[in-house]
């Protein structure tokens, strides 16, 4: 499918294991690179809910922040990956909205710090639309409500193309975070939209709101939905 104008290509992967979603990111990265070379600009936002659950350890992660043994993870049906993203250890699973922006950062300031702040602003805008007072923390990347993290962010950049991204706890079973020291931060907690709002929060509606904020913050004309097979 051809994109119209300067639109963001949104690919909803549904429920998918971490490995196949990583493969989809790699295909999107290659398409962004090829588009840069031949003048056919395209940028992607991949949306996924990871199932089976997975724990990933980022480039700056410490092994001691994984509190469960491999046997315990296997018994719980949780996969484990060492990831090329920044950051420490985190959990992904059902009820969590994971977004992987694959952008040409040549078009967005060529500044990793600015890119991270823009990703945070996207989530802050979504929270504001729900009546929640989200905030940044000067010491840690991510988005917080009070003392609890609601969205973890860990990105990677290759030749100024971004991949990996953010994980927003929508209706996530927060007990699984007890298997790790989330993002390596011992003195803070984690929360979810469902806990903060005291009600069920549909993942699909949250994804729609995230797309709208992403288009606004990153200055796209709009969003075009692509099927996973178009990657």
């Amino acid at each position: 499918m051809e994109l119209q104008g300067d639109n963001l290509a949104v690919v909803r992967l549904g429920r998918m294991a971490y490995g196949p979603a990583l493969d989809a990111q790699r295909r999107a990265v290659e398409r962004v690179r090829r588009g840069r070379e031949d003048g056919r600009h395209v940028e992607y936002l991949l949306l996924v809910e990871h199932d089976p659950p997975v724990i990933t350890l980022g480039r700056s992660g410490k092994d001691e922040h994984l509190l469960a043994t491999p046997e315990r993870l296997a018994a719980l049906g949780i996969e484990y990956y060492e990831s090329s993203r920044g950051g420490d250890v985190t959990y992904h699973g059902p009820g969590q909205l994971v977004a992987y922006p694959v952008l040409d950062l040549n078009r967005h300031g060529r500044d990793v710090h600015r890119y991270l702040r823009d990703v945070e602003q996207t989530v802050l805008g979504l929270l504001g639309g729900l009546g929640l007072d989200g905030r940044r923390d000067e010491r840690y990347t991510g988005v917080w409500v009070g003392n609890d993290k609601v969205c973890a962010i860990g990105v990677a950049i290759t030749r100024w193309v971004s991949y990996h991204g953010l994980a927003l706890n929508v209706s996530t079973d927060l007990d699984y975070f007890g298997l790790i020291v989330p993002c390596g931060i011992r003195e803070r907690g984690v929360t979810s939209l469902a806990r903060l709002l005291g009600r069920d929060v549909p993942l699909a509606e949250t994804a729609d709101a995230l797309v709208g904020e992403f288009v606004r913050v990153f200055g796209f004309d709009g969003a075009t939905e692509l099927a996973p097979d178009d990657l």
Side-chain angles (χ1 to χ4, degrees):
M1 180 184 295
E2 291 293 327
L3 297 182
Q4 300 298 315
D6 190 15
N7 273 17
L8 175 68
V10 177
V11 183
R12 299 178 195 251
L13 298 174
R15 283 199 172 195
M16 181 178 285
Y18 183 81
L22 183 58
D23 290 340
Q25 288 185 75
R26 289 168 175 157
R27 292 195 300 274
V29 167
E30 184 57 31
R31 289 202 171 198
V32 171
R33 285 178 179 167
R34 291 203 310 265
R36 177 193 288 169
E37 292 168 359
D38 63 20
R40 292 187 298 107
H41 167 66
V42 61
E43 296 178 281
Y44 294 92
L45 181 65
L46 310 184
L47 302 174
V48 65
E49 182 182 11
H50 282 308
D51 192 17
V54 60
I55 287 172
T56 66
L57 185 71
R59 294 191 308 272
S60 60
K62 297 181 180 179
D63 291 339
E64 59 264 32
H65 292 160
L66 176 61
L67 305 180
T69 64
E71 293 77 15
R72 175 64 172 156
L73 295 182
L76 292 170
I78 298 175
E79 298 182 335
Y80 175 77
Y81 281 82
E82 293 186 0
S83 173
S84 59
R85 63 167 173 79
D88 205 291
V89 65
T90 195
Y91 164 83
H92 302 309
Q96 185 185 71
L97 176 62
V98 178
Y100 295 128
V102 183
L103 305 184
D104 182 354
L105 295 188
N106 287 325
R107 296 170 54 88
H108 300 282
R110 204 179 171 98
D111 181 330
V112 176
H113 178 80
R114 171 184 165 184
Y115 172 61
L116 288 169
R117 302 294 78 77
D118 285 347
V119 173
E120 290 171 343
Q121 187 58 48
T122 299
V123 178
L124 289 169
L126 184 154
L127 295 180
L130 294 170
L132 295 172
D133 186 17
R135 67 178 182 88
R136 294 185 174 93
D137 189 293
E138 292 182 358
R139 292 174 292 173
Y140 305 118
T141 297
V143 178
W144 310 77
V145 177
N147 204 43
D148 297 327
K149 180 175 277 191
V150 69
C151 181
I153 297 171
V155 305
I157 311 293
T158 175
R159 299 180 187 176
W160 292 108
V161 177
S162 68
Y163 63 113
H164 293 294
L166 66 90
L168 175 64
N169 297 327
V170 180
S171 57
T172 320
D173 184 344
L174 300 175
D175 288 344
Y176 284 105
F177 286 95
L179 300 170
I180 61 175
V181 179
C183 302
I185 306 170
R186 296 184 182 275
E187 70 273 19
R188 303 289 184 85
V190 294
T191 191
S192 68
L193 299 185
R195 174 176 286 184
L196 291 165
L197 295 170
R199 61 175 174 83
D200 180 57
V201 182
L203 202 72
E205 292 180 14
T206 307
D208 290 343
L210 185 69
V211 169
E213 288 297 322
F214 207 93
V215 166
R216 182 184 65 81
V217 171
F218 284 88
F220 290 96
D221 293 340
T224 298
E225 299 277 344
L226 298 184
D229 289 345
D230 289 331
L231 271 180

